[in-house]
Amino acid sequence: MLTILFNNFRNGYRKSSREQPASSPEEFERKVENESLRTDPAGSNPEAMLSALGMEGEVETALASLPGEFRDAILLVDVEELSYQEVSEVLNVPIGTIKSRVSRGRALLRDTLANFAKERGIIRS
């Protein structure tokens, strides 16, 4: 979910940066000033975006609803940012099993959060 939010932010940022160049130094200064006022430092932080949308409780609930083996794998890979190999060693299971658990856990999270995201207008129906 964080990756999706980050990619949406990045795409929007790229789209907004394709503006026409300023024709005069005064216009340039106005654009720079407006952009700096408009820029939200928390907007580049996916966690802050989740918090602003009021989703952190929903994400926590969705994570808690996952079966233990999926939740552990997702938390270690996505939150703690460990490699699959490191998670494999920590949980003492084959690396292929970790990859499968992460993939299936993400799919379960996606399904769990899809209706909530549609209701909030985060994703289109």
Side-chain angles (χ1 to χ4, degrees), residues 68-110:
E69 63 267 0
F70 297 132
R71 182 178 52 250
D72 294 342
I74 293 241
L75 289 174
L76 290 172
V77 170
D78 292 336
V79 177
E80 298 296 328
E81 297 180 352
L82 297 177
S83 69
Y84 289 124
Q85 183 64 41
E86 292 169 328
V87 175
S88 172
E89 293 168 5
V90 168
L91 297 179
N92 198 27
V93 294
I95 193 168
T97 303
I98 296 300
K99 290 179 180 181
S100 173
R101 287 179 182 177
V102 169
S103 175
R104 291 171 58 197
R106 286 176 181 162
L108 288 170
L109 278 176
R110 217 176 1 261

Side-chain angles (χ1 to χ4, degrees), residues 50-64:
L50 275 176
S51 179
L53 293 171
M55 285 188 61
E56 51 193 17
E58 193 69 31
V59 172
E60 288 176 14
T61 303
L63 274 170

Side-chain angles (χ1 to χ4, degrees), residues 14-40:
R14 286 178 180 166
K15 184 177 179 181
S16 69
S17 67
R18 294 184 205 128
E19 296 179 358
Q20 297 295 323
S23 59
S24 68
E26 293 81 23
E27 183 182 354
F28 176 76
E29 287 178 18
R30 264 196 320 271
K31 282 186 175 188
V32 169
E33 185 176 320
N34 288 339
E35 183 64 31
S36 65
L37 292 174
R38 195 172 59 125
T39 303
D40 178 18

